Amino acid sequence: MTVPTDRTYDMLQQIGEFLKKLKKDEYDALLAGNSRLMVVPKGARISGGPARKAEPVALAINAEQVDADLRSLGDRQSAARYLDDLKLKKAQLLQLAKELNVHVRASNTILQIRDLIVEHKVGHRLAHDAILRQA
């Protein structure tokens, strides 16, 4: 039979080896109390953890300029073509929508995000103008 202190020593050695393999930011988070160690049985599935926040994406374009350009366009097709010509990746398009105050979901496709931006910036104005012409 093993002595409990021997088991404790063995466990501390394993924990020490684990800590040596951590990246600096992981180690710092653990030290600051922003992370924790858990005992998870081998083969267990881990789910329901805290959602990670996406890092903000730097846009190579000026959102205010894009907003002004979209507002100057006279139809939805031109606005969609304008956004397509920017050749933005999904993360960049999501960031642009955020900066333009257009509410989109991360689960939306690139085309859906583009169309929501177009509708919010061009479509609403066109509908408003059409209503005023009818009155």
Side-chain angles (χ1 to χ4, degrees), residues 101-113:
N101 293 321
V102 176
H103 299 287
V104 296
R105 294 184 179 147
S107 61
N108 290 130
T109 65
I110 290 176
L111 292 177
Q112 289 171 329
I113 297 167

Side-chain angles (χ1 to χ4, degrees), residues 15-28 30-31 37:
I15 292 171
E17 290 301 316
F18 171 79
L19 293 174
K20 286 180 185 177
K21 295 176 187 175
L22 289 179
K23 297 176 189 165
K24 182 184 179 334
D25 59 330
E26 294 171 331
Y27 185 84
D28 292 342
L30 189 60
L31 192 60
L37 295 177

